[in-house]
Amino acid sequence: GIAVFDENDFKQKVYTPLSQGAAEVESFIMLSDIQPMLNTLKKLNLSMQLNYFIVNDCTLLAINVQ
């Protein structure tokens, strides 16, 4: 996966690839609160499956577009 350190990283490494047609993205988000970032994905209006695992204060996130 890809390491994400802030919201700008999330937009560049997760949001943008999905908006450009990527079928899946895996990332390791180095923040404790990922909800604001996940909320931005709603703007894409895509059917997605989100899988995530919380490890300490970080989240391993896998997104598959269906």
Side-chain angles (χ1 to χ4, degrees):
I2 302 165
V4 172
F5 295 97
D6 58 33
E7 288 189 39
N8 288 331
D9 265 355
F10 185 82
K11 288 178 184 174
Q12 179 183 9
K13 298 174 181 176
V14 178
Y15 183 90
T16 298
L18 290 172
S19 70
Q20 294 175 347
E24 66 179 44
V25 174
E26 291 185 0
S27 62
F28 193 69
I29 302 175
M30 309 297 284
L31 300 166
S32 59
D33 184 14
I34 67 167
Q35 193 59 53
M37 289 177 271
L38 295 179
N39 288 340
T40 64
L41 294 177
K42 293 177 184 177
K43 296 176 187 176
L44 293 174
N45 199 27
L46 297 171
S47 177
M48 295 180 255
Q49 178 181 4
L50 304 175
N51 295 304
Y52 62 93
F53 303 94
I54 299 171
V55 181
N56 296 326
D57 286 335
C58 303
T59 303
L60 175 60
L61 174 66
I63 302 171
N64 294 299
V65 178
Q66 302 180 356

